Amino acid sequence: MYDLATRRHAVDLLTAGLTLSQVSRVTGVSRSALREWTARLEPSPRMTAECPVPSGRLDPAVPRDTYSYLLGLYLGDGCLSEERRGVHALRIACANAWPGLIDECEQAVTAVMPHRRVHRVRAPGCVSVVSRSKHWPCLFPQHGPGPKHRRPVALADWQLPIVDRHPWPLIRGLVHSDGCRLVNRVGRYSYSRYLFTNRSADIVGLYTRALDAVRVEWRSARRADGTVDVSVARRESVALMDARVGPKS
């Protein structure tokens, strides 16, 4: 990234009458960049944004409750992929059946990383909310090679106080990604429950730890393939979940 002095020098040359090609040859700056500088001399905020986790602490400007929610979405249906020059793309897959969830996911990504553009990439049956930055791995140190259930997933020291203080947004993000609210029917009777499903024992542990923190009762069952289902079915606990999580929209 070019400093302000370099930008001013290039614009001064253009003002003096040199062409874009001439200034490009003299300075080594591309003509497209020179055009941008004639419209805006200062670097845009999104290009100068610093790491949101300086010195191992989340920047105070990042809303903690929103981050906790986005962390839940990332742990469930999110991934980071490395692109050119150290930039990483955050992708969170959201089913087309839940347009309200897509909107809320985009709002959360924007709130946590306000200096970067957010895109929606459509695919059969889903929309991926995508944002690119060099700093997404700083925000999600759980990033690593391969599926999450095949490697350890543990919170960093600076993340623990956030989820301890904001367990409900984390629960909500996890349910919105890998969970659902459903109605079970047994003969003439029916009852509501929340079901969370994941193959990572560590992510399941984060979910049940948060449930314990807010005094929501749960039960779990492991399938033959290692997938774990966590069910919340007690009436009082379902009422708590309805008040703080609710069904997807």
Side-chain angles (χ1 to χ4, degrees):
M1 186 177 68
Y2 296 96
D3 58 27
L4 193 56
T6 301
R7 292 164 179 259
R8 284 176 177 153
H9 174 62
V11 173
D12 287 343
L13 292 176
L14 290 170
T15 304
L18 274 67
T19 66
L20 286 171
S21 296
Q22 290 171 329
V23 176
S24 179
R25 285 194 296 269
V26 170
T27 62
V29 178
S30 68
R31 289 186 297 176
S32 61
L34 292 171
R35 291 192 190 95
E36 291 181 5
W37 295 354
T38 58
R40 179 190 176 94
L41 185 62
E42 296 82 5
S44 62
R46 67 184 181 88
M47 294 301 294
T48 59
E50 297 179 354
C51 177
V53 193
S55 304
R57 292 186 62 186
L58 186 63
D59 191 306
V62 179
R64 267 54 177 170
D65 54 346
T66 305
Y67 173 78
S68 186
Y69 173 71
L70 186 60
L71 175 63
L73 292 179
Y74 164 74
L75 291 174
D77 285 330
C79 69
L80 293 181
S81 54
E82 187 173 2
E83 300 182 342
R84 295 186 303 169
R85 300 178 181 177
V87 173
H88 283 73
L90 169 68
R91 291 181 173 86
I92 298 179
C94 304
N96 287 339
W98 317 114
L101 171 57
I102 299 172
D103 291 340
E104 190 167 1
C105 176
E106 181 175 335
Q107 292 165 8
V109 172
T110 301
V112 171
M113 188 72 76
H115 304 291
R116 290 294 180 177
R117 295 179 61 184
V118 182
H119 306 272
R120 296 188 183 191
V121 180
R122 301 189 181 277
C126 73
V127 170
S128 289
V129 177
V130 182
S131 173
R132 291 175 170 84
S133 171
K134 292 183 178 181
H135 300 303
W136 281 121
C138 305
L139 284 161
F140 298 123
Q142 290 71 37
H143 167 62
K148 298 186 189 79
H149 68 276
R150 293 181 180 174
R151 53 184 170 81
V153 175
L155 296 183
D157 290 343
W158 62 267
Q159 291 175 303
L160 286 169
I162 295 174
V163 300
D164 285 347
R165 189 174 181 84
H166 303 282
W168 277 115
L170 177 69
I171 293 169
R172 194 162 179 266
L174 288 168
V175 171
H176 281 184
S177 56
D178 279 342
C180 63
R181 185 190 190 280
L182 49 84
V183 177
N184 279 18
R185 302 187 185 280
V186 181
R188 296 180 300 169
Y189 301 98
S190 64
Y191 63 95
S192 300
R193 69 170 176 150
Y194 283 81
L195 185 66
F196 175 77
T197 301
N198 200 287
R199 295 185 67 184
S200 167
D202 290 338
I203 294 175
V204 170
L206 292 173
Y207 178 65
T208 55
R209 177 177 179 271
L211 293 179
D212 288 341
V214 295
R215 299 184 180 181
V216 167
E217 296 184 61
W218 54 272
R219 291 184 178 181
S220 65
R222 183 178 297 275
R223 304 181 194 176
D225 65 355
T227 301
V228 177
D229 296 318
V230 179
S231 174
V232 174
R234 294 291 298 268
R235 182 178 300 176
E236 296 82 1
S237 294
V238 171
L240 281 174
M241 296 285 281
D242 282 343
R244 303 301 294 269
V245 178
K248 300 177 186 180
S249 62

